[in-house]
Amino acid sequence: MIGRKNSSNASPLLLVLLALGFFFATYNLLTMLIHNKSSSLENWASEISDPNTVENSDFRYHVALTATDAPYSQWQSRIMYYWYKKVKDMPGSDMGKFTRVLHSGKPDNLMEEIPTFVVDPLPEGLDRGYIVLNRPWAFVQWLEKATIEEEYILMAEPDHLFVNPLPNLARRSHPAGFPFFYIKPAEHEKIIRKFYPEEKGPVNKIDPIGNSPVIIKKSLLEDISPTWLNISLRMKDDPQTDKAFGWVLEMYAYAVASALHDVRHILRKDFMLQPPWDLEVGKNFIIHYTYGCDYNLKGELTYGKIGEWRFDKRSYLSGPPPRNLSLPPPGVPETVVRLVKMVNEATANIPGWDALTSG
């Protein structure tokens, strides 16, 4: 009886001790699991954001510029190459070597000024007057035939100016691209499905990008480029697609080709500025001067109407702009002012600027 009484009195105390022990053990286990999970997420995030975690310890990228031998392309290429040389070795830059991939089929008079690799254009008539269809074909040939030391490639265009040193924004198998507001795969799902079948997944797996600017692993671009070429030609051959996508057809083709290879891009809005719509340079990396910049003398934008002051690259289709262009009037955004100053600096320092003609 005494033993039973003692046992009965000890039982609640024992249960409390066991409960407390279980609580602390469970708490410690959960704390450890949460910490490990948090650490795993932080490690994954750091792999994306830390350039030291790319697969190759040398994360330099090769700058590849596709171009023609037309005067319009030549003068832009010369300015672009000037600014590449200017920023290449600045702190924060991961730039490697430079190649102008010339898809005119023959050497031109910039061969000694700019490192150039000559490739063939598409067979006559195949581009149907849409010359940028030669871009994917140029990359297919260059990647197959050229010796490229770097493991990453920046696909660039003649009207790109490096306004700040550009690091390698790609991470492992994730290229870096610029999100274009007018590339909207979801709004063209019926057309997109002609080239991106339903079994590949929803169309929101297609990034809102073009091929440029993009920093991408060379091995990935070698896989994507033939598909990019094939999709570009198929899109151009389809009247409905050609009409819907117009001058950005080749951009859609790259976006679709990447998705077909299950490649997703890191979208970087700071990759590029587009005057006159972007107003401040800040810490962004590239100025893309594809749009005309028209202002009155009060510094007010007159887009769609030729301004009292203007800079538009299309004003110089047959030859280079003159040196020492006039600066914009007061009140014009910083991006436009910086663009004109960068053009002026390049033209002032490039030998034989005014004398060069195509050939």
Side-chain angles (χ1 to χ4, degrees):
M1 295 296 294
I2 295 175
R4 176 181 289 181
K5 184 177 180 181
N6 290 342
S7 175
S8 177
N9 290 338
S11 181
L13 178 61
L14 179 61
L15 290 174
V16 169
L17 292 173
L18 288 173
L20 287 172
F22 179 77
F23 169 78
F24 285 116
T26 303
Y27 175 80
N28 289 333
L29 178 61
L30 288 173
T31 301
M32 181 176 68
L33 289 173
I34 291 170
H35 175 74
N36 288 340
K37 183 177 181 181
S38 177
S39 296
S40 297
L41 289 171
E42 289 173 1
N43 289 339
W44 179 85
S46 68
E47 288 180 358
I48 296 297
S49 61
D50 184 359
N52 294 315
T53 62
V54 293
E55 292 174 353
N56 193 313
S57 60
D58 183 0
F59 45 91
R60 291 177 303 152
Y61 57 84
H62 193 106
V63 180
L65 168 71
T66 51
T68 74
D69 63 358
Y72 180 64
S73 180
Q74 285 187 323
W75 70 256
Q76 292 176 61
S77 298
R78 299 179 83 193
I79 294 175
M80 196 269 199
Y81 184 57
Y82 172 87
W83 283 102
Y84 157 79
K85 291 188 295 182
K86 185 96 173 182
V87 305
K88 176 182 181 292
D89 296 320
M90 287 183 177
S93 168
D94 290 325
M95 290 179 173
K97 294 183 178 179
F98 184 104
T99 299
R100 181 180 61 133
V101 185
L102 182 64
H103 51 79
S104 299
K106 62 182 186 301
D108 67 357
N109 55 0
L110 293 181
M111 302 295 290
E112 295 184 4
E113 179 177 333
I114 305 175
T116 299
F117 191 93
V118 179
V119 297
D120 292 325
L122 289 167
E124 186 175 357
L126 194 59
D127 64 9
R128 301 184 185 183
Y130 182 56
I131 195 168
V132 293
L133 277 187
N134 286 280
R135 186 173 293 150
W137 175 224
F139 273 109
V140 168
Q141 296 174 81
W142 179 63
L143 290 165
E144 180 182 339
K145 299 176 182 178
T147 300
I148 306 164
E149 297 177 0
E150 297 85 353
E151 291 301 315
Y152 292 84
I153 292 168
L154 166 64
M155 293 188 283
E157 298 179 15
D159 59 355
H160 287 177
L161 300 181
F162 297 108
V163 70
N164 279 310
L166 176 60
N168 186 345
L169 303 176
R171 298 294 174 263
R172 295 184 181 271
S173 59
H174 296 281
F178 176 79
F180 288 91
F181 71 89
Y182 49 79
I183 301 296
K184 301 177 179 179
E187 294 187 7
H188 300 281
E189 182 168 3
K190 185 176 180 181
I191 292 175
I192 291 291
R193 285 302 184 193
K194 295 181 180 183
F195 313 97
Y196 188 75
E198 290 188 7
E199 56 265 28
K200 290 297 293 182
V203 294
N204 62 13
K205 291 177 67 177
I206 301 172
D207 294 322
I209 58 169
N211 82 288
S212 177
V214 163
I215 300 178
I216 185 171
K217 287 196 74 172
K218 179 172 59 178
S219 57
L220 283 178
L221 188 56
E222 288 171 340
D223 291 338
I224 293 171
S225 290
T227 308
W228 173 25
L229 171 62
N230 181 48
I231 296 295
S232 296
L233 294 172
R234 286 175 55 201
M235 284 184 171
K236 189 63 180 176
D237 198 46
D238 182 79
Q240 183 186 19
T241 306
D242 188 23
K243 181 179 179 180
F245 292 163
W247 64 275
V248 297
L249 180 148
E250 168 266 342
M251 298 172 68
Y252 270 102
Y254 174 79
V256 170
S258 298
L260 288 171
H261 286 270
D262 298 315
V263 173
R264 299 302 303 267
H265 295 68
I266 301 167
L267 303 180
R268 296 289 299 252
K269 290 185 177 180
D270 59 347
F271 210 153
M272 191 166 72
L273 296 162
Q274 301 192 98
W277 311 118
D278 295 306
L279 306 181
E280 298 179 355
V281 173
K283 295 182 179 180
N284 298 280
F285 300 111
I286 292 173
I287 287 182
H288 181 211
Y289 55 100
T290 190
Y291 296 104
C293 299
D294 288 277
Y295 292 87
N296 61 29
L297 296 183
K298 297 179 181 179
E300 298 168 335
L301 182 65
T302 62
Y303 193 78
K305 177 183 177 182
I306 295 178
E308 296 173 276
W309 180 94
R310 76 178 327 225
F311 176 78
D312 188 337
K313 65 178 185 177
R314 295 165 191 83
S315 299
Y316 308 102
L317 293 173
S318 58
R323 286 174 163 154
N324 196 28
L325 294 169
S326 64
L327 293 178
V332 170
E334 175 195 9
T335 52
V336 179
V337 176
R338 180 73 69 88
L339 166 60
V340 177
K341 287 183 176 180
M342 291 178 75
V343 170
N344 281 345
E345 179 179 331
T347 60
N349 289 281
I350 296 174
W353 176 255
D354 296 317
L356 182 69
T357 56
S358 178

